Amino acid sequence: MTTTGMPRRTIRPVGGRSRKPTLRVERALQRDGYAVLAGMDEVGRGALAGPVTVGVVVIDIECRTAPQGVKDSKLLTPAARHALVPRIHRWSRAYAVGHAWPEEIDAIGIIAALRLAGRRALAQIAVTPDLVILDGNHDWLTDPAEVGLLALTKDVTTPPVTTMIKADLKCSSVAAASVLAKVTRDAMMVEYAREHTAYGWAENKGYAAPEHLAALAAGGPCPLHRRSWRLPGVAGN
């Protein structure tokens, strides 16, 4: 695990290997002084259409064991994900979901769009986390301009960030954030599919499934596609 805005560090696993997320990492961070933690995860990063979506779930020491069944959203059935949403809402201190839209992804690139979606999620919550836990090994939430001396000033608009590979499999807060993000984005893509019927979004949610690629090759993209991606049916691709 690495952190931005603080010395690089490693948090060693507590106990043996777990088959489901726990609060072990979060409790270790809270013992280190980060009382209010935000687990954050994204969905839609690799899709050809629709937004990139970021979920955030804030917990503190009063938040006990996560609702049973919380895990990385990709490992859950749609019905299980939907059933978990109200339980995650009740469990967490705060929660939100933010989006960046296809035209924004085309204009600023996917990393900056992830940052935008993450900050939109954070802007919706009333509490400021002491630390954000991101899945992976890359801090896409912190603007590069904030690194270094600027990170010590009051102009910083995001909390410190720690990254952890497979945090969505290890940390309950990050897994919960992934569930909220996926349920929200999937529902949006199903609604969009009603108007844009050719692409099969109700099933593929905007990813590069065969029926989606075939529809692009036959009829080209619609306004919800990311035109900066290499899409079939787009001139020059």
Side-chain angles (χ1 to χ4, degrees):
M1 178 182 293
T2 60
T3 53
T4 298
M6 64 189 83
R8 185 174 291 271
R9 57 182 292 170
T10 298
I11 293 189
R12 302 186 182 280
V14 179
R17 185 183 299 273
S18 175
R19 295 183 180 181
K20 61 182 180 179
T22 70
L23 289 175
R24 291 175 177 175
V25 170
E26 288 93 330
R27 294 306 188 221
L29 289 167
Q30 287 168 332
R31 288 193 294 271
D32 284 348
Y34 304 102
V36 181
L37 297 169
M40 184 176 282
D41 203 10
E42 56 81 16
V43 296
R45 179 173 182 167
L48 306 182
V52 64
T53 298
V54 173
V56 60
V57 168
V58 179
I59 65 167
D60 58 20
I61 197 65
E62 299 301 322
C63 298
R64 302 303 179 185
T65 304
Q68 185 175 2
V70 167
K71 63 176 74 173
D72 175 17
S73 62
K74 296 185 293 296
L75 304 177
L76 295 166
T77 66
R81 288 193 293 265
H82 279 274
L84 281 169
V85 168
R87 297 167 64 193
I88 291 171
H89 289 175
R90 292 191 297 268
W91 170 65
S92 61
R93 175 167 172 179
Y95 58 87
V97 175
H99 311 280
W101 305 100
E103 61 270 23
E104 294 172 324
I105 295 170
D106 289 338
I108 63 178
I110 189 61
I111 299 302
L114 281 167
R115 183 179 310 123
L116 182 60
R119 292 187 172 198
R120 284 171 173 166
L122 288 170
Q124 296 175 54
I125 59 178
V127 60
T128 300
D130 297 314
L131 185 69
V132 175
I133 306 171
L134 283 185
D135 180 41
N137 60 3
H138 175 228
D139 174 9
W140 43 259
L141 184 63
T142 304
D143 192 308
E146 294 174 358
V147 176
L149 292 178
L150 185 58
L152 303 177
T153 74
K154 64 182 180 180
D155 298 323
V156 176
T157 56
T158 53
V161 169
T162 185
T163 61
M164 183 178 185
I165 296 173
K166 298 189 182 301
D168 53 354
L169 299 177
K170 301 173 183 177
C171 301
S172 292
S173 63
V174 179
S178 78
V179 170
L180 297 188
K182 184 159 179 59
V183 169
T184 302
R185 186 181 183 279
D186 281 2
M188 294 172 65
M189 296 307 295
V190 169
E191 283 299 310
Y192 292 147
R194 300 179 189 275
E195 181 177 356
H196 303 280
T197 58
Y199 305 107
W201 289 343
E203 290 75 33
N204 64 53
K205 307 304 186 290
Y207 287 88
E211 70 276 9
H212 190 180
L213 295 175
L216 276 167
C222 75
L224 288 169
H225 280 97
R226 303 173 187 180
R227 301 303 180 98
S228 57
W229 262 228
R230 295 184 63 84
L231 302 176
V234 176
N237 288 345

